[in-house]
Amino acid sequence: MGGFRHFFALTGTALRSIPQRLGAALVTVISISTVIGVLVAMLALGEGLESFSQTGVRADGVVVMSSGAQSSMNSSLSVADVTKIIDKPGIRRDAQGRPLASGTVTHIVDGVTRTNQHGSIGLFAANTRWREIWPEVHLLAGRYFQPGLHELLVSDVIRTRFKGVELGDEVRINGSPWTIVGVVKGNGGFFDDALIADADTLLAALPQATYSSVTAILETPATFGVLSQAVSS
């Protein structure tokens, strides 16, 4: 009986002290919820990048990331790094001698779903050669973005899942409005689950951001070793 009395006494004391502990408890709950929300967003973007990397893979395609990086999410390359990489031997060049390679940037944009739930949208940015490197992306409506302007493309899938991402809508990135000027469709990879922008323009708007990786088309699959050795050295 004594054990039960102690149990009920301690329970009563804990319940009576709730008003005094309410503020601290709410801070703890909100902090944990925020951390979980960020973790879920990062995992969602990571899944999207994994899907992107495994869809539409071509034998002559290659992705270069920073040393030690396990994925584009934790890879960081400077502008100087990207410039050096795309000039290495083994990368295919067009008729004008320009390398078929592009630095890429990944970012997360907050959004609200059609069911009024907060969600995260992956933002993928690449340089001006991106349409030659990923020819599977097709324009469904509007036009392609112009480099230097705060303009975005949205996948047809994203605009059916989220509010405020229709053609002509504005999306806030780092406090600045970016206008959606086109709707695109890919082949089931990352481009079907993202907003798309010009990499140089995005980097100018996000001073702390860096390139995530470089995607390039090889002269032939056999020249992978040539490029790998050149980059490693």
Side-chain angles (χ1 to χ4, degrees):
M1 295 296 293
F4 282 108
R5 284 198 298 270
H6 285 298
F7 169 76
F8 288 117
L10 291 173
T11 302
T13 300
L15 292 174
R16 286 192 296 272
S17 65
I18 287 178
Q20 289 75 34
R21 296 182 290 107
L22 185 59
L26 285 176
V27 170
T28 301
V29 171
I30 293 173
S31 300
I32 294 175
S33 300
T34 301
V35 171
I36 292 174
V38 172
L39 177 61
V40 170
M42 296 299 291
L43 289 174
L45 182 57
E47 285 295 320
L49 288 172
E50 180 67 18
S51 173
F52 166 62
S53 65
Q54 298 299 323
T55 304
V57 175
R58 47 189 295 177
D60 58 354
V62 63
V63 176
V64 182
M65 298 181 293
S66 58
S67 178
Q70 299 300 311
S71 71
S72 297
M73 286 298 298
N74 52 24
S75 174
S76 177
L77 298 172
S78 67
V79 175
D81 292 333
V82 172
T83 301
K84 292 177 182 178
I85 292 169
I86 64 177
D87 195 43
K88 296 299 182 185
I91 296 177
R92 185 183 304 174
R93 296 178 180 271
D94 62 15
Q96 288 73 43
R98 299 173 300 179
L100 288 177
S102 172
T104 64
V105 183
T106 54
H107 190 62
I108 295 177
V109 176
D110 293 328
V112 178
T113 67
R114 296 285 181 179
T115 57
N116 295 317
Q117 301 293 317
H118 287 286
S120 298
I121 306 173
L123 174 58
F124 178 82
N127 295 132
T128 54
R129 312 303 303 279
W130 75 275
R131 289 170 58 191
E132 299 171 70
I133 299 171
W134 294 282
E136 67 271 16
V137 182
H138 301 288
L139 189 68
L140 297 181
R143 60 175 176 82
Y144 289 105
F145 58 74
Q146 296 184 33
L149 300 180
H150 284 192
E151 295 181 341
L152 299 169
L153 303 178
V154 63
S155 73
D156 192 44
V157 173
I158 287 295
R159 72 168 182 168
T160 60
R161 289 172 48 198
F162 287 85
K163 295 180 178 180
V165 288
E166 294 287 348
L167 190 64
D169 287 344
E170 289 186 346
V171 177
R172 308 293 294 190
I173 300 177
N174 199 31
S176 299
W178 289 60
T179 304
I180 296 177
V181 298
V183 181
V184 296
K185 180 177 177 59
N187 62 348
F190 185 74
F191 284 107
D192 280 321
D193 200 27
L195 295 166
I196 308 171
D198 175 67
D200 291 336
T201 307
L202 183 62
L203 288 176
L206 301 173
Q208 303 303 317
T210 63
Y211 282 103
S212 302
S213 62
V214 172
T215 299
I217 305 301
L218 299 170
E219 293 176 356
T220 67
T223 60
F224 172 78
V226 175
L227 176 62
S228 178
Q229 182 178 6
V231 170
S232 299
S233 62

